[in-house]
Short mmCIF file of all heavy atoms in Angstrom, two decimals:
data_model
loop_
_atom_site.label_atom_id
_atom_site.label_comp_id
_atom_site.label_asym_id
_atom_site.label_seq_id
_atom_site.Cartn_x
_atom_site.Cartn_y
_atom_site.Cartn_z
N MET A 1 -99.72 -46.65 53.69
CA MET A 1 -99.37 -47.90 54.31
C MET A 1 -97.85 -48.05 53.82
O MET A 1 -97.53 -47.81 52.66
CB MET A 1 -100.24 -48.99 53.65
CG MET A 1 -99.70 -50.39 54.01
SD MET A 1 -100.83 -51.59 53.29
CE MET A 1 -99.74 -53.07 53.52
N ASN A 2 -97.09 -48.48 54.74
CA ASN A 2 -95.60 -48.60 54.47
C ASN A 2 -95.36 -50.04 54.14
O ASN A 2 -95.73 -50.97 54.63
CB ASN A 2 -94.89 -48.17 55.66
CG ASN A 2 -93.57 -47.66 55.37
OD1 ASN A 2 -92.51 -48.34 55.25
ND2 ASN A 2 -93.54 -46.37 55.03
N VAL A 3 -94.63 -50.09 52.91
CA VAL A 3 -94.19 -51.37 52.45
C VAL A 3 -92.70 -51.53 52.32
O VAL A 3 -92.04 -50.56 52.01
CB VAL A 3 -94.74 -51.68 51.01
CG1 VAL A 3 -94.35 -53.07 50.41
CG2 VAL A 3 -96.24 -51.74 51.03
N ARG A 4 -92.16 -52.69 52.80
CA ARG A 4 -90.71 -52.85 52.79
C ARG A 4 -90.33 -53.93 51.73
O ARG A 4 -90.89 -54.96 51.83
CB ARG A 4 -90.31 -53.25 54.20
CG ARG A 4 -88.76 -53.77 54.19
CD ARG A 4 -87.75 -52.73 54.64
NE ARG A 4 -87.84 -52.31 56.06
CZ ARG A 4 -87.17 -52.82 56.99
NH1 ARG A 4 -86.36 -53.80 56.77
NH2 ARG A 4 -87.25 -52.37 58.20
N CYS A 5 -89.43 -53.64 50.92
CA CYS A 5 -88.94 -54.62 49.90
C CYS A 5 -88.17 -55.66 50.57
O CYS A 5 -87.21 -55.37 51.34
CB CYS A 5 -88.16 -53.83 48.85
SG CYS A 5 -87.49 -54.97 47.65
N ASN A 6 -88.46 -56.96 50.28
CA ASN A 6 -87.72 -58.07 50.88
C ASN A 6 -86.23 -58.26 50.24
O ASN A 6 -85.49 -58.92 50.82
CB ASN A 6 -88.41 -59.41 50.64
CG ASN A 6 -89.80 -59.37 51.30
OD1 ASN A 6 -89.92 -58.84 52.45
ND2 ASN A 6 -90.77 -59.87 50.75
N TYR A 7 -86.10 -57.59 49.13
CA TYR A 7 -84.87 -57.85 48.36
C TYR A 7 -83.83 -56.77 48.66
O TYR A 7 -82.68 -57.07 48.94
CB TYR A 7 -85.21 -57.89 46.84
CG TYR A 7 -86.29 -59.00 46.49
CD1 TYR A 7 -87.57 -58.55 46.40
CD2 TYR A 7 -85.75 -60.28 46.37
CE1 TYR A 7 -88.52 -59.49 46.13
CE2 TYR A 7 -86.82 -61.33 46.04
CZ TYR A 7 -88.10 -60.87 46.05
OH TYR A 7 -89.04 -61.84 45.76
N CYS A 8 -84.24 -55.51 48.62
CA CYS A 8 -83.21 -54.38 48.80
C CYS A 8 -83.55 -53.68 50.04
O CYS A 8 -82.77 -52.75 50.38
CB CYS A 8 -83.31 -53.55 47.53
SG CYS A 8 -84.70 -52.50 47.39
N ARG A 9 -84.62 -53.99 50.78
CA ARG A 9 -84.82 -53.30 52.00
C ARG A 9 -85.38 -51.88 51.89
O ARG A 9 -85.55 -51.08 52.90
CB ARG A 9 -83.75 -53.25 52.98
CG ARG A 9 -83.26 -54.71 53.34
CD ARG A 9 -84.24 -55.37 54.28
NE ARG A 9 -84.07 -56.88 54.30
CZ ARG A 9 -84.88 -57.72 54.78
NH1 ARG A 9 -85.99 -57.33 55.20
NH2 ARG A 9 -84.58 -58.94 54.81
N GLN A 10 -85.67 -51.49 50.74
CA GLN A 10 -86.18 -50.12 50.48
C GLN A 10 -87.59 -50.19 51.04
O GLN A 10 -88.38 -51.05 50.76
CB GLN A 10 -86.26 -49.94 48.87
CG GLN A 10 -87.07 -48.58 48.53
CD GLN A 10 -86.22 -47.35 48.71
OE1 GLN A 10 -85.01 -47.29 48.43
NE2 GLN A 10 -86.87 -46.38 49.37
N SER A 11 -88.01 -49.11 51.72
CA SER A 11 -89.44 -49.07 52.16
C SER A 11 -90.02 -47.81 51.45
O SER A 11 -89.34 -46.77 51.15
CB SER A 11 -89.48 -48.90 53.68
OG SER A 11 -88.88 -47.64 54.06
N PHE A 12 -91.24 -48.02 51.22
CA PHE A 12 -91.96 -46.86 50.48
C PHE A 12 -93.44 -46.96 50.91
O PHE A 12 -93.90 -47.89 51.46
CB PHE A 12 -91.79 -46.97 48.95
CG PHE A 12 -92.19 -48.29 48.47
CD1 PHE A 12 -93.42 -48.56 47.78
CD2 PHE A 12 -91.19 -49.35 48.42
CE1 PHE A 12 -93.62 -49.82 47.26
CE2 PHE A 12 -91.52 -50.64 47.82
CZ PHE A 12 -92.76 -50.90 47.22
N ASN A 13 -94.17 -45.88 50.53
CA ASN A 13 -95.43 -45.68 50.97
C ASN A 13 -96.59 -45.88 49.99
O ASN A 13 -96.34 -45.36 48.80
CB ASN A 13 -95.59 -44.28 51.64
CG ASN A 13 -96.85 -44.20 52.46
OD1 ASN A 13 -97.02 -44.96 53.44
ND2 ASN A 13 -97.70 -43.30 52.19
N LEU A 14 -97.59 -46.59 50.21
CA LEU A 14 -98.71 -46.74 49.37
C LEU A 14 -99.87 -45.80 49.74
O LEU A 14 -100.24 -45.84 50.96
CB LEU A 14 -99.19 -48.17 49.19
CG LEU A 14 -98.21 -49.25 48.80
CD1 LEU A 14 -98.94 -50.56 48.93
CD2 LEU A 14 -97.66 -48.96 47.47
N SER A 15 -100.19 -44.95 48.85
CA SER A 15 -101.25 -43.97 49.28
C SER A 15 -102.63 -44.54 49.48
O SER A 15 -102.90 -45.74 48.95
CB SER A 15 -101.34 -42.84 48.25
OG SER A 15 -102.04 -43.41 47.03
N ARG A 16 -103.46 -43.91 50.05
CA ARG A 16 -104.82 -44.39 50.47
C ARG A 16 -105.59 -44.68 49.13
O ARG A 16 -106.30 -45.66 49.00
CB ARG A 16 -105.49 -43.25 51.30
CG ARG A 16 -106.97 -43.50 51.60
CD ARG A 16 -107.11 -44.54 52.72
NE ARG A 16 -108.59 -44.77 52.92
CZ ARG A 16 -109.17 -44.47 54.01
NH1 ARG A 16 -108.56 -44.00 55.06
NH2 ARG A 16 -110.50 -44.75 54.09
N ASP A 17 -105.45 -43.74 48.19
CA ASP A 17 -106.08 -43.91 46.90
C ASP A 17 -105.61 -45.12 46.23
O ASP A 17 -106.50 -45.84 45.64
CB ASP A 17 -105.86 -42.62 46.03
CG ASP A 17 -106.59 -41.39 46.42
OD1 ASP A 17 -107.44 -41.59 47.28
OD2 ASP A 17 -106.44 -40.35 45.87
N TYR A 18 -104.27 -45.37 46.28
CA TYR A 18 -103.75 -46.49 45.61
C TYR A 18 -104.29 -47.79 46.23
O TYR A 18 -104.73 -48.69 45.54
CB TYR A 18 -102.23 -46.50 45.76
CG TYR A 18 -101.58 -47.69 45.03
CD1 TYR A 18 -101.19 -47.62 43.84
CD2 TYR A 18 -101.43 -48.87 45.80
CE1 TYR A 18 -100.62 -48.79 43.21
CE2 TYR A 18 -100.78 -49.98 45.36
CZ TYR A 18 -100.36 -49.90 43.98
OH TYR A 18 -99.85 -51.09 43.44
N LEU A 19 -104.29 -47.75 47.64
CA LEU A 19 -104.81 -49.04 48.32
C LEU A 19 -106.24 -49.28 48.00
O LEU A 19 -106.68 -50.47 47.80
CB LEU A 19 -104.65 -48.62 49.85
CG LEU A 19 -103.25 -48.87 50.42
CD1 LEU A 19 -103.27 -48.44 51.97
CD2 LEU A 19 -102.74 -50.25 50.21
N GLU A 20 -107.14 -48.26 47.95
CA GLU A 20 -108.53 -48.48 47.58
C GLU A 20 -108.67 -49.14 46.23
O GLU A 20 -109.54 -50.03 46.12
CB GLU A 20 -109.19 -47.09 47.64
CG GLU A 20 -109.54 -46.87 49.20
CD GLU A 20 -110.24 -45.48 49.44
OE1 GLU A 20 -110.58 -44.76 48.42
OE2 GLU A 20 -110.32 -45.06 50.58
N ALA A 21 -107.92 -48.58 45.32
CA ALA A 21 -108.05 -49.17 43.96
C ALA A 21 -107.47 -50.57 43.89
O ALA A 21 -108.06 -51.47 43.14
CB ALA A 21 -107.18 -48.27 42.93
N ALA A 22 -106.34 -50.79 44.53
CA ALA A 22 -105.78 -52.06 44.63
C ALA A 22 -106.78 -53.16 45.30
O ALA A 22 -106.86 -54.24 44.90
CB ALA A 22 -104.44 -52.06 45.25
N LEU A 23 -107.28 -52.66 46.39
CA LEU A 23 -108.32 -53.44 47.06
C LEU A 23 -109.46 -53.96 46.28
O LEU A 23 -109.92 -55.11 46.31
CB LEU A 23 -108.80 -52.82 48.29
CG LEU A 23 -107.87 -53.00 49.67
CD1 LEU A 23 -108.44 -52.11 50.69
CD2 LEU A 23 -107.95 -54.45 50.13
N ALA A 24 -110.00 -53.01 45.57
CA ALA A 24 -111.13 -53.17 44.63
C ALA A 24 -110.84 -54.33 43.68
O ALA A 24 -111.58 -55.19 43.46
CB ALA A 24 -111.58 -51.98 44.04
N LYS A 25 -109.63 -54.18 43.05
CA LYS A 25 -109.09 -55.18 42.05
C LYS A 25 -108.96 -56.57 42.77
O LYS A 25 -109.39 -57.59 42.22
CB LYS A 25 -107.91 -54.71 41.54
CG LYS A 25 -108.11 -53.87 40.25
CD LYS A 25 -106.70 -53.69 39.51
CE LYS A 25 -106.66 -52.43 38.74
NZ LYS A 25 -105.36 -52.08 38.33
N ALA A 26 -108.31 -56.55 43.78
CA ALA A 26 -108.03 -57.87 44.48
C ALA A 26 -109.31 -58.60 45.02
O ALA A 26 -109.40 -59.78 44.92
CB ALA A 26 -107.10 -57.61 45.76
N THR A 27 -110.28 -57.76 45.44
CA THR A 27 -111.55 -58.31 45.89
C THR A 27 -112.27 -58.87 44.73
O THR A 27 -112.84 -60.03 44.74
CB THR A 27 -112.43 -57.24 46.45
OG1 THR A 27 -111.66 -56.60 47.56
CG2 THR A 27 -113.74 -57.77 47.11
N GLU A 28 -112.26 -58.20 43.54
CA GLU A 28 -112.92 -58.71 42.31
C GLU A 28 -112.33 -59.90 41.80
O GLU A 28 -113.09 -60.88 41.39
CB GLU A 28 -112.72 -57.53 41.25
CG GLU A 28 -113.47 -57.67 39.95
CD GLU A 28 -113.11 -56.60 38.96
OE1 GLU A 28 -113.28 -55.41 39.31
OE2 GLU A 28 -112.55 -56.89 37.92
N LYS A 29 -111.01 -60.08 41.93
CA LYS A 29 -110.41 -61.27 41.49
C LYS A 29 -110.20 -62.38 42.65
O LYS A 29 -109.61 -63.46 42.36
CB LYS A 29 -108.93 -60.94 40.91
CG LYS A 29 -109.02 -60.01 39.66
CD LYS A 29 -107.64 -59.73 39.20
CE LYS A 29 -107.68 -58.84 37.95
NZ LYS A 29 -106.32 -58.48 37.57
N ASN A 30 -110.70 -62.09 43.73
CA ASN A 30 -110.52 -62.98 44.86
C ASN A 30 -109.15 -63.27 45.22
O ASN A 30 -108.90 -64.51 45.55
CB ASN A 30 -111.40 -64.27 44.46
CG ASN A 30 -112.30 -64.72 45.66
OD1 ASN A 30 -112.17 -64.13 46.81
ND2 ASN A 30 -113.07 -65.73 45.50
N GLN A 31 -108.33 -62.30 45.23
CA GLN A 31 -106.96 -62.53 45.59
C GLN A 31 -106.66 -62.28 46.98
O GLN A 31 -107.31 -61.39 47.56
CB GLN A 31 -106.09 -61.59 44.62
CG GLN A 31 -106.26 -61.95 43.21
CD GLN A 31 -105.43 -60.80 42.33
OE1 GLN A 31 -105.45 -59.61 42.72
NE2 GLN A 31 -104.80 -61.31 41.30
N LYS A 32 -105.69 -62.96 47.48
CA LYS A 32 -105.28 -62.80 48.93
C LYS A 32 -104.09 -61.85 49.10
O LYS A 32 -103.74 -61.28 50.11
CB LYS A 32 -105.01 -64.09 49.57
CG LYS A 32 -106.28 -64.87 49.93
CD LYS A 32 -106.02 -65.89 50.99
CE LYS A 32 -107.30 -66.44 51.41
NZ LYS A 32 -107.22 -67.60 52.29
N TYR A 33 -103.44 -61.69 47.88
CA TYR A 33 -102.23 -60.86 47.86
C TYR A 33 -102.35 -59.84 46.65
O TYR A 33 -102.82 -60.13 45.63
CB TYR A 33 -100.98 -61.67 47.75
CG TYR A 33 -100.73 -62.42 48.98
CD1 TYR A 33 -101.08 -63.78 49.19
CD2 TYR A 33 -99.94 -61.93 50.01
CE1 TYR A 33 -100.86 -64.52 50.25
CE2 TYR A 33 -99.71 -62.53 51.12
CZ TYR A 33 -100.15 -63.95 51.27
OH TYR A 33 -99.78 -64.67 52.36
N HIS A 34 -101.73 -58.65 46.92
CA HIS A 34 -101.70 -57.74 45.85
C HIS A 34 -100.19 -57.65 45.64
O HIS A 34 -99.39 -57.63 46.59
CB HIS A 34 -102.25 -56.37 46.32
CG HIS A 34 -102.00 -55.30 45.36
ND1 HIS A 34 -102.62 -55.25 44.13
CD2 HIS A 34 -101.18 -54.18 45.42
CE1 HIS A 34 -102.23 -54.17 43.47
NE2 HIS A 34 -101.28 -53.54 44.28
N THR A 35 -99.75 -57.42 44.42
CA THR A 35 -98.42 -57.30 44.16
C THR A 35 -98.04 -55.86 43.77
O THR A 35 -98.76 -55.30 42.92
CB THR A 35 -97.92 -58.25 43.09
OG1 THR A 35 -98.78 -58.08 41.86
CG2 THR A 35 -98.00 -59.73 43.54
N VAL A 36 -96.93 -55.38 44.27
CA VAL A 36 -96.49 -54.08 43.89
C VAL A 36 -94.97 -54.21 43.42
O VAL A 36 -94.30 -55.17 43.93
CB VAL A 36 -96.54 -52.99 45.06
CG1 VAL A 36 -97.94 -52.60 45.32
CG2 VAL A 36 -95.87 -53.52 46.27
N GLU A 37 -94.58 -53.27 42.62
CA GLU A 37 -93.26 -53.30 42.17
C GLU A 37 -92.36 -52.41 43.04
O GLU A 37 -92.86 -51.24 43.31
CB GLU A 37 -93.22 -52.75 40.70
CG GLU A 37 -91.98 -53.20 39.91
CD GLU A 37 -92.13 -52.72 38.48
OE1 GLU A 37 -92.07 -51.51 38.29
OE2 GLU A 37 -92.27 -53.55 37.57
N CYS A 38 -91.28 -52.85 43.51
CA CYS A 38 -90.39 -52.07 44.29
C CYS A 38 -89.89 -50.82 43.52
O CYS A 38 -89.53 -50.86 42.33
CB CYS A 38 -89.22 -52.83 44.81
SG CYS A 38 -88.02 -51.85 45.69
N ILE A 39 -89.94 -49.67 44.28
CA ILE A 39 -89.61 -48.43 43.62
C ILE A 39 -88.05 -48.39 43.40
O ILE A 39 -87.57 -47.63 42.45
CB ILE A 39 -89.92 -47.27 44.26
CG1 ILE A 39 -89.42 -47.18 45.77
CG2 ILE A 39 -91.49 -47.00 44.27
CD1 ILE A 39 -89.48 -45.87 46.49
N ASN A 40 -87.36 -49.17 43.97
CA ASN A 40 -85.92 -49.20 43.89
C ASN A 40 -85.36 -50.31 42.90
O ASN A 40 -84.56 -49.92 41.97
CB ASN A 40 -85.23 -49.36 45.22
CG ASN A 40 -83.84 -49.14 45.28
OD1 ASN A 40 -83.18 -48.29 44.60
ND2 ASN A 40 -83.12 -50.06 45.94
N CYS A 41 -85.67 -51.51 43.28
CA CYS A 41 -85.10 -52.61 42.50
C CYS A 41 -86.01 -53.32 41.53
O CYS A 41 -85.66 -54.18 40.74
CB CYS A 41 -84.47 -53.64 43.47
SG CYS A 41 -85.81 -54.57 44.33
N ARG A 42 -87.31 -52.77 41.45
CA ARG A 42 -88.29 -53.26 40.59
C ARG A 42 -88.63 -54.72 40.75
O ARG A 42 -89.34 -55.28 39.87
CB ARG A 42 -87.81 -52.97 39.08
CG ARG A 42 -87.51 -51.63 38.81
CD ARG A 42 -88.91 -50.89 38.55
NE ARG A 42 -88.66 -49.54 38.25
CZ ARG A 42 -89.22 -48.88 37.10
NH1 ARG A 42 -89.87 -49.63 36.29
NH2 ARG A 42 -88.96 -47.78 36.92
N LYS A 43 -88.39 -55.24 41.80
CA LYS A 43 -88.79 -56.63 42.09
C LYS A 43 -90.28 -56.58 42.48
O LYS A 43 -90.76 -55.61 43.00
CB LYS A 43 -87.97 -57.37 43.14
CG LYS A 43 -86.58 -57.53 42.60
CD LYS A 43 -86.07 -58.89 43.00
CE LYS A 43 -84.60 -58.96 42.73
NZ LYS A 43 -84.04 -60.17 42.23
N VAL A 44 -90.96 -57.82 42.41
CA VAL A 44 -92.38 -57.72 42.73
C VAL A 44 -92.53 -58.23 44.24
O VAL A 44 -91.93 -59.11 44.63
CB VAL A 44 -93.13 -58.77 41.88
CG1 VAL A 44 -94.51 -58.96 42.34
CG2 VAL A 44 -93.25 -58.12 40.48
N ILE A 45 -93.28 -57.39 44.96
CA ILE A 45 -93.52 -57.60 46.33
C ILE A 45 -94.90 -57.97 46.60
O ILE A 45 -95.80 -57.44 46.05
CB ILE A 45 -93.13 -56.34 47.19
CG1 ILE A 45 -91.67 -55.83 46.87
CG2 ILE A 45 -93.30 -56.60 48.67
CD1 ILE A 45 -91.47 -54.42 47.23
N LYS A 46 -95.14 -58.94 47.39
CA LYS A 46 -96.53 -59.34 47.75
C LYS A 46 -96.98 -58.53 49.02
O LYS A 46 -96.31 -58.60 49.95
CB LYS A 46 -96.54 -60.89 48.07
CG LYS A 46 -96.75 -61.73 46.83
CD LYS A 46 -96.94 -63.14 47.51
CE LYS A 46 -97.08 -64.21 46.27
NZ LYS A 46 -97.19 -65.47 46.83
N VAL A 47 -98.17 -57.99 48.88
CA VAL A 47 -98.78 -57.29 50.04
C VAL A 47 -100.14 -58.02 50.37
O VAL A 47 -100.86 -58.25 49.52
CB VAL A 47 -99.04 -55.89 49.72
CG1 VAL A 47 -99.56 -55.11 50.95
CG2 VAL A 47 -97.72 -55.23 49.16
N SER A 48 -100.13 -58.43 51.61
CA SER A 48 -101.38 -59.10 52.08
C SER A 48 -102.55 -58.24 51.91
O SER A 48 -102.66 -57.00 52.31
CB SER A 48 -101.33 -59.59 53.44
OG SER A 48 -102.61 -59.77 54.03
N VAL A 49 -103.62 -58.76 51.14
CA VAL A 49 -105.01 -57.95 51.15
C VAL A 49 -105.53 -57.62 52.46
O VAL A 49 -106.09 -56.56 52.79
CB VAL A 49 -105.94 -58.68 50.13
CG1 VAL A 49 -107.30 -58.12 50.22
CG2 VAL A 49 -105.46 -58.64 48.71
N ALA A 50 -105.57 -58.56 53.41
CA ALA A 50 -106.09 -58.34 54.74
C ALA A 50 -105.29 -57.22 55.35
O ALA A 50 -105.95 -56.33 56.01
CB ALA A 50 -105.86 -59.58 55.57
N GLN A 51 -103.99 -57.08 55.23
CA GLN A 51 -103.32 -55.86 55.78
C GLN A 51 -103.63 -54.65 55.17
O GLN A 51 -103.84 -53.71 55.82
CB GLN A 51 -101.77 -56.28 55.56
CG GLN A 51 -100.93 -55.41 56.46
CD GLN A 51 -99.40 -55.57 56.17
OE1 GLN A 51 -99.03 -56.42 55.38
NE2 GLN A 51 -98.59 -54.77 56.83
N MET A 52 -104.00 -54.71 53.87
CA MET A 52 -104.31 -53.47 53.13
C MET A 52 -105.59 -52.98 53.63
O MET A 52 -105.89 -51.74 53.76
CB MET A 52 -104.38 -53.72 51.63
CG MET A 52 -102.98 -53.85 50.97
SD MET A 52 -103.00 -54.65 49.34
CE MET A 52 -104.01 -53.49 48.46
N LYS A 53 -106.57 -53.89 53.91
CA LYS A 53 -107.86 -53.50 54.43
C LYS A 53 -107.77 -52.79 55.72
O LYS A 53 -108.62 -51.92 56.03
CB LYS A 53 -108.73 -54.76 54.51
CG LYS A 53 -109.34 -55.23 53.26
CD LYS A 53 -110.32 -56.33 53.48
CE LYS A 53 -110.90 -56.80 52.23
NZ LYS A 53 -111.59 -58.10 52.18
N ARG A 54 -106.80 -53.06 56.50
CA ARG A 54 -106.69 -52.36 57.84
C ARG A 54 -106.27 -50.93 57.59
O ARG A 54 -106.64 -50.02 58.37
CB ARG A 54 -105.69 -53.04 58.67
CG ARG A 54 -106.09 -54.37 59.22
CD ARG A 54 -105.46 -54.60 60.56
NE ARG A 54 -104.07 -54.60 60.47
CZ ARG A 54 -103.27 -55.71 60.42
NH1 ARG A 54 -103.81 -56.82 60.25
NH2 ARG A 54 -102.04 -55.54 60.30
N TYR A 55 -105.58 -50.71 56.46
CA TYR A 55 -105.22 -49.25 56.23
C TYR A 55 -106.21 -48.51 55.46
O TYR A 55 -106.23 -47.26 55.48
CB TYR A 55 -103.75 -49.25 55.51
CG TYR A 55 -102.71 -49.67 56.42
CD1 TYR A 55 -102.30 -50.85 56.64
CD2 TYR A 55 -101.97 -48.56 57.01
CE1 TYR A 55 -101.29 -51.16 57.50
CE2 TYR A 55 -100.81 -48.83 57.84
CZ TYR A 55 -100.55 -50.17 58.07
OH TYR A 55 -99.51 -50.42 58.88
N ALA A 56 -107.05 -49.15 54.68
CA ALA A 56 -107.96 -48.52 53.87
C ALA A 56 -109.29 -49.27 54.00
O ALA A 56 -109.81 -49.91 53.14
CB ALA A 56 -107.55 -48.62 52.42
N PRO A 57 -109.91 -49.09 55.19
CA PRO A 57 -111.23 -49.65 55.35
C PRO A 57 -112.26 -49.16 54.55
O PRO A 57 -112.26 -48.04 54.11
CB PRO A 57 -111.48 -49.41 56.91
CG PRO A 57 -110.71 -48.28 57.22
CD PRO A 57 -109.50 -48.24 56.30
N GLU A 58 -113.14 -50.06 54.23
CA GLU A 58 -114.31 -49.56 53.35
C GLU A 58 -115.06 -48.44 54.05
O GLU A 58 -115.46 -48.61 55.20
CB GLU A 58 -115.28 -50.77 53.12
CG GLU A 58 -114.62 -51.80 52.09
CD GLU A 58 -115.60 -52.92 51.98
OE1 GLU A 58 -116.73 -52.71 51.57
OE2 GLU A 58 -115.17 -54.01 52.20
N THR A 59 -115.20 -47.38 53.33
CA THR A 59 -115.78 -46.18 53.88
C THR A 59 -117.36 -46.43 53.76
O THR A 59 -117.90 -46.84 52.67
CB THR A 59 -115.38 -44.93 53.22
OG1 THR A 59 -115.42 -45.11 51.83
CG2 THR A 59 -114.10 -44.63 53.70
N GLU A 60 -118.06 -45.92 54.72
CA GLU A 60 -119.57 -45.99 54.67
C GLU A 60 -120.05 -44.81 53.67
O GLU A 60 -119.66 -43.70 53.87
CB GLU A 60 -120.17 -45.72 56.03
CG GLU A 60 -119.97 -47.05 56.84
CD GLU A 60 -120.56 -46.86 58.24
OE1 GLU A 60 -121.68 -46.29 58.41
OE2 GLU A 60 -119.83 -47.19 59.25
N PRO A 61 -120.80 -45.22 52.67
CA PRO A 61 -121.19 -44.24 51.64
C PRO A 61 -121.85 -42.98 52.16
O PRO A 61 -121.60 -41.88 51.69
CB PRO A 61 -122.25 -45.08 50.83
CG PRO A 61 -122.22 -46.40 51.28
CD PRO A 61 -121.37 -46.45 52.57
N SER A 62 -122.62 -43.09 53.13
CA SER A 62 -123.51 -41.94 53.67
C SER A 62 -122.71 -41.06 54.72
O SER A 62 -123.24 -40.15 55.25
CB SER A 62 -124.73 -42.37 54.16
OG SER A 62 -124.64 -43.30 55.19
N ALA A 63 -121.55 -41.54 55.16
CA ALA A 63 -120.89 -40.90 56.31
C ALA A 63 -120.64 -39.47 56.19
O ALA A 63 -120.89 -38.65 57.04
CB ALA A 63 -119.70 -41.64 56.54
N GLU A 64 -120.10 -39.15 54.96
CA GLU A 64 -119.75 -37.69 54.73
C GLU A 64 -120.99 -36.87 54.37
O GLU A 64 -120.94 -35.64 54.49
CB GLU A 64 -118.67 -37.53 53.66
CG GLU A 64 -117.34 -37.84 54.34
CD GLU A 64 -116.21 -37.70 53.18
OE1 GLU A 64 -116.29 -36.70 52.46
OE2 GLU A 64 -115.32 -38.47 53.35
N GLU A 65 -122.11 -37.55 53.89
CA GLU A 65 -123.15 -36.74 53.46
C GLU A 65 -124.30 -36.66 54.50
O GLU A 65 -125.56 -36.17 54.24
CB GLU A 65 -123.75 -37.41 52.17
CG GLU A 65 -122.80 -37.07 50.98
CD GLU A 65 -123.17 -38.02 49.83
OE1 GLU A 65 -124.33 -37.91 49.40
OE2 GLU A 65 -122.21 -38.76 49.30
N ALA A 66 -123.94 -37.14 55.70
CA ALA A 66 -124.93 -37.21 56.69
C ALA A 66 -125.46 -35.85 57.10
O ALA A 66 -126.46 -35.58 57.39
CB ALA A 66 -124.46 -37.97 57.98
N GLU A 67 -124.44 -34.86 57.26
CA GLU A 67 -124.77 -33.61 57.66
C GLU A 67 -125.31 -32.78 56.38
O GLU A 67 -124.53 -32.44 55.56
CB GLU A 67 -123.58 -32.89 58.25
CG GLU A 67 -123.29 -33.40 59.58
CD GLU A 67 -121.99 -32.80 60.22
OE1 GLU A 67 -122.06 -31.59 60.44
OE2 GLU A 67 -121.07 -33.53 60.46
N THR A 68 -126.58 -32.49 56.37
CA THR A 68 -127.05 -31.87 55.29
C THR A 68 -127.69 -30.42 55.72
O THR A 68 -128.92 -30.08 55.37
CB THR A 68 -128.24 -32.70 54.52
OG1 THR A 68 -129.12 -33.16 55.43
CG2 THR A 68 -127.59 -33.77 53.73
N GLU A 69 -126.93 -29.77 56.42
CA GLU A 69 -127.42 -28.44 56.78
C GLU A 69 -127.31 -27.52 55.68
O GLU A 69 -126.29 -27.38 54.97
CB GLU A 69 -126.57 -27.89 58.02
CG GLU A 69 -126.94 -28.51 59.23
CD GLU A 69 -126.10 -27.93 60.39
OE1 GLU A 69 -126.32 -26.75 60.78
OE2 GLU A 69 -125.18 -28.73 60.87
N ASP A 70 -128.35 -26.58 55.51
CA ASP A 70 -128.34 -25.76 54.30
C ASP A 70 -128.01 -24.29 54.79
O ASP A 70 -128.57 -23.82 55.70
CB ASP A 70 -129.70 -25.80 53.58
CG ASP A 70 -129.43 -25.38 52.17
OD1 ASP A 70 -129.27 -24.21 51.88
OD2 ASP A 70 -129.53 -26.40 51.33
ZN1 ZN B 101 -86.42 -53.56 46.27
#
């Protein structure tokens, strides 16, 4: 997921793994925004949790294990 810094206009990418971990924390704390630090200017950027969910939707636990051919 691409994030653009509001202060210095630097854009950077958040990995799927990062998003999943951040989403889990945000959900646990009931937050609507997750904050990330800009890689360039180190300011704090707010990222909407709803937007993050679109990039890292909850995966169905059995999806990958459905095929059990031996
Ligand atoms: Zn910045």
Side-chain angles (χ1 to χ4, degrees):
M1 173 183 169
N2 212 264
V3 175
R4 168 98 69 94
C5 175
N6 296 322
Y7 305 94
C8 70
R9 301 289 165 194
Q10 171 78 46
S11 68
F12 53 99
N13 197 58
L14 300 179
S15 73
R16 174 81 183 239
D17 283 353
Y18 179 93
L19 285 176
E20 282 177 3
L23 270 172
K25 271 190 206 167
T27 306
E28 189 184 296
K29 293 181 185 175
N30 223 356
Q31 294 172 323
K32 288 201 166 169
Y33 291 93
H34 171 70
T35 53
V36 286
E37 202 176 70
C38 174
I39 54 164
N40 184 47
C41 70
R42 299 287 181 120
K43 296 226 191 216
V44 169
I45 306 161
K46 275 186 182 177
V47 183
S48 155
V49 167
Q51 195 185 355
M52 287 162 62
K53 277 186 183 165
R54 287 212 302 268
Y55 284 86
E58 287 177 56
T59 46
E60 288 178 43
S62 60
E64 278 182 42
E65 290 166 53
E67 290 176 61
T68 47
E69 281 180 75
D70 207 287

